Amino acid sequence: RGHFTISTEYENILFVIYGVWFITSLFTNKFEQKQYRNYYHAIAPYIKSFLLSIGIMAVVVFAFRLFFYSRLHVFGTFSLFFVFELIFYYLYFITGHKRKKQHDVETISEVHKYLDQESLPFELDQIRKDRQGEIFSSRVKICDRLLKDYPSVCSFIDRHINLDEIDESDSVVLNTHTIFNVETIDDHAASLFVNLHKVNDFRWLNSYFLEVHKKIYNGGYFLGQGETLATRKKRFYSKYPKILAQILYPLNFLFVRVFPKLPVLQNIYFFFTRGRNRAISQAEILGRLCFCGFRIVATEEIDNSLYFIAQRAKTPSLEKNPSYGPLIQLRRIGYNKEVMYINKFRTMHPYSEFLQEYIFEQHELAENGKFFNDFRLTGWGRYFRKMWIDEWPQLINFFQGDLNLVGVRALSHHYFGLYPKELQELRTQFKPGLVPPYYADMPKTFEEIIESERQYLKTKQKHPLVTDIKYFFKASYNILFKHARSA
């Protein structure tokens, strides 16, 4: 005490302490790498080892009458071991362990790897056929027992899913915010999977959706709910006086929407929130579902929450990585049908690119060929499009030689498929351009847009340079003096 020199007697007891610590560590398997639900479950073996060590050492001290040793030194050493173990293991858990075991799935290759591990069972229709005459309707289990306090949700399910065709043993209803509770369910065990807890509380949202994907049959249904940005904003403004809300909401927006997207600040955000009550848009929720192999069947606002029904797709259509930052690259069909990537500033919510087909099915095209009431657009995105700011990064494509100054727009695969075959062939004979013929002719409908492009391309075949000069000046006049805008 008071110096670092250890006497011979204490060297002997120190070896006993080391031995007890080592034996109890092996006995409790506390250094074995396992996947735990959380940090508290992970340190349980360390607590058991500590208590066991204290007990064994107490027996040794009293059995061999080692009362001349300081109790503070002997038992304090085990306490120090325990404290340092908890500290070091916590650092390991939040860095290496969580990164390796619990990180989210954010690329195509990761999704394919995740889905390739599972076999593809029979289609849901085949299961119904095999069970013909033996099905016990899940209506009683779902609506009369498990969801009796959620009549609006039952009505929503009933309008889009025939519960009489789903056996009650093939339906699962949970109210959980942890993936662990989903993992305990057998793979391919459900035709209908319901989780009443909002998706905003899942730290690894894609991993959660993929885990649900594994639990249901091909063609099976997944019902969930979440709070959208619009509902969150409404709730925030109702919570505070209007003036105070107008001051606090931008700060809240900065923390919950900007911090999670920036590398260093992201760690700070998730350290304090643990991923709970995250701010997420309707477009991002539905886009993540599509990215993870689901097809959106229906959505509905119920009790200030967005409820969705998604159907598991047998073969997920994944051809692009999600775009999450302010500068994005959009996969497009370019010259000679080669895939190219157009640079743009983000104007839509994350994962919006995976909703192209869904939006096309749900919304009509506006006069400019875009969609009416496209909820994927952000507030600043509308301003960016109005002022052409989102188009500026395409200058990179222009200087790299991917785009001409004048030419038809480079289209996504889905949008390209809406064009007539002969126009598809004609379009890919030329490089796309920064300034499309749309702004010269100002067509009103999608059909008129097609006709405008056809006329431009056929004229360009005969007089390439003259046609581009003519369309450039005409488009410039409409933009500057007739206020033609990007949309």
Side-chain angles (χ1 to χ4, degrees):
R1 186 172 300 188
H3 55 81
F4 291 102
T5 303
I6 301 177
S7 64
T8 303
E9 292 79 8
Y10 273 93
E11 286 181 354
N12 294 332
I13 196 65
L14 190 59
F15 280 111
V16 176
I17 291 173
Y18 285 158
V20 172
W21 173 81
F22 183 72
I23 291 171
T24 55
S25 298
L26 292 178
F27 183 73
T28 57
N29 297 318
K30 68 182 181 183
F31 295 128
E32 188 174 311
Q33 293 189 9
K34 295 180 180 179
Q35 185 173 356
Y36 296 98
R37 294 176 59 180
N38 52 46
Y39 176 70
Y40 305 106
H41 286 80
I43 65 173
Y46 290 82
I47 298 174
K48 295 174 183 177
S49 175
F50 170 68
L51 296 176
L52 194 58
S53 299
I54 293 293
I56 292 175
M57 201 63 206
V59 171
V60 171
V61 169
F62 283 95
F64 293 96
R65 304 293 179 179
L66 304 177
F67 301 124
F68 53 88
Y69 289 111
S70 167
R71 310 291 193 279
L72 176 64
H73 287 170
V74 174
F75 296 104
T77 302
F78 284 109
S79 300
L80 285 176
F81 278 175
F82 179 60
V83 170
F84 282 120
E85 283 175 344
L86 294 186
I87 293 173
F88 285 119
Y89 188 78
Y90 179 74
L91 295 175
Y92 163 75
F93 187 83
I94 65 173
T95 56
H97 180 78
K98 291 195 80 172
R99 183 167 58 250
K100 292 176 183 177
K101 300 293 185 180
Q102 300 180 29
H103 71 87
D104 210 1
V105 178
E106 296 175 336
T107 64
I108 304 171
S109 58
E110 289 177 322
V111 171
H112 279 303
K113 182 179 179 181
Y114 200 102
L115 296 181
D116 285 346
Q117 294 174 355
E118 60 185 63
S119 60
L120 292 176
F122 294 105
E123 293 288 344
L124 185 57
D125 290 338
Q126 183 62 42
I127 295 173
R128 292 168 179 164
K129 182 179 179 181
D130 293 342
R131 286 183 175 176
Q132 192 171 17
E134 302 177 3
I135 293 179
F136 294 93
S137 172
S138 61
R139 185 178 303 281
V140 175
K141 174 184 177 181
I142 296 293
C143 292
D144 296 345
R145 295 204 302 267
L146 299 177
L147 298 182
K148 63 180 181 180
D149 296 328
Y150 302 87
S152 299
V153 176
C154 280
S155 177
F156 174 56
I157 296 174
D158 232 3
R159 289 196 300 273
H160 301 283
I161 302 174
N162 189 348
L163 294 176
D164 294 329
E165 293 184 352
I166 296 179
D167 192 88
E168 64 175 17
S169 63
D170 289 341
S171 58
V172 176
V173 179
L174 300 175
N175 192 343
T176 181
H177 66 276
T178 59
I179 298 181
F180 178 81
N181 292 331
V182 180
E183 292 174 338
T184 57
I185 301 171
D186 293 336
D187 290 353
H188 311 303
S191 300
L192 174 61
F193 186 100
V194 178
N195 189 357
L196 297 175
H197 200 95
K198 62 181 182 179
V199 299
N200 308 69
D201 287 339
F202 281 90
R203 170 67 177 91
W204 314 112
L205 192 49
N206 288 346
S207 296
Y208 162 58
F209 285 160
L210 286 169
E211 197 62 44
V212 174
H213 189 280
K214 291 175 63 176
K215 304 308 174 185
I216 59 181
Y217 297 116
N218 289 316
Y221 297 97
F222 169 34
L223 180 137
Q225 61 111 343
E227 182 185 56
T228 64
L229 284 178
T231 303
R232 183 189 182 94
K233 184 176 181 179
K234 187 187 302 181
R235 177 170 58 83
F236 190 92
Y237 272 79
S238 65
K239 185 177 180 181
Y240 301 99
K242 185 176 180 180
I243 296 177
L244 184 60
Q246 289 176 339
I247 297 173
L248 295 178
Y249 187 75
L251 298 177
N252 177 267
F253 180 87
L254 183 69
F255 181 68
V256 302
R257 291 295 289 166
V258 178
F259 273 37
K261 294 179 174 61
L262 300 178
V264 178
L265 297 178
Q266 182 184 65
N267 295 332
I268 297 175
Y269 169 80
F270 284 112
F271 176 80
F272 284 106
T273 66
R274 295 288 188 261
R276 304 286 179 83
N277 198 27
R278 63 197 297 183
I280 186 169
S281 66
Q282 176 183 352
E284 185 173 346
I285 294 174
L286 302 183
R288 284 178 180 267
L289 283 165
C290 292
F291 173 69
C292 294
F294 289 95
R295 182 182 68 84
I296 308 301
V297 175
T299 62
E300 185 173 322
E301 285 281 344
I302 302 175
D303 297 330
N304 294 321
S305 287
L306 176 74
Y307 280 81
F308 60 81
I309 294 176
Q311 187 175 33
R312 169 177 159 156
K314 182 175 181 179
T315 306
S317 178
L318 301 172
E319 60 177 22
K320 56 180 89 68
N321 287 323
S323 55
Y324 215 72
L327 182 64
I328 60 176
Q329 289 187 320
L330 302 177
R331 183 186 176 102
R332 295 291 184 258
I333 296 176
Y335 175 65
N336 204 23
K337 293 185 180 180
E338 293 182 356
V339 174
M340 61 180 298
Y341 291 89
I342 294 292
N343 298 293
K344 294 189 73 174
F345 284 125
R346 169 183 298 285
T347 58
M348 292 185 174
H349 293 289
Y351 287 84
S352 290
E353 59 269 33
F354 297 95
L355 291 174
Q356 187 80 6
E357 293 185 26
Y358 172 74
I359 295 294
F360 178 75
E361 294 172 357
Q362 300 294 320
H363 300 267
E364 297 179 355
L365 293 175
E367 290 183 353
N368 56 5
K370 303 291 184 178
F371 295 108
F372 281 111
N373 302 319
D374 195 342
F375 62 83
R376 298 176 300 170
L377 277 174
T378 63
W380 70 83
R382 297 181 191 277
Y383 175 78
F384 274 24
R385 290 190 174 193
K386 183 178 180 180
M387 303 306 295
W388 297 82
I389 298 175
D390 63 311
E391 307 284 358
W392 291 356
Q394 291 189 48
L395 291 172
I396 299 173
N397 297 103
F398 173 71
F399 287 112
Q400 289 178 340
D402 298 326
L403 296 177
N404 285 333
L405 182 61
V406 180
V408 293
R409 284 191 182 278
L411 301 177
S412 65
H413 186 271
H414 172 74
Y415 211 103
F416 184 78
L418 301 179
Y419 277 64
K421 293 293 184 182
E422 50 90 15
L423 187 54
Q424 290 180 8
E425 296 296 328
L426 188 58
R427 284 179 117 265
T428 54
Q429 293 177 22
F430 302 91
K431 279 186 182 180
L434 286 172
V435 181
Y438 167 83
Y439 293 105
D441 297 335
M442 300 300 292
K444 298 297 184 181
T445 63
F446 181 63
E447 289 72 20
E448 290 180 5
I449 292 175
I450 290 177
E451 190 56 40
S452 170
E453 291 188 357
R454 181 185 286 110
Q455 184 63 36
Y456 162 75
L457 293 171
K458 288 187 175 180
T459 306
K460 186 170 181 175
Q461 282 182 319
K462 300 176 182 178
H463 309 289
L465 182 59
V466 174
T467 301
D468 281 353
I469 293 174
K470 174 184 174 183
Y471 272 80
F472 175 77
F473 282 106
K474 191 173 181 181
S476 299
Y477 176 82
N478 288 337
I479 292 169
L480 294 174
F481 299 104
K482 293 189 176 182
H483 307 292
R485 289 291 181 264
S486 176

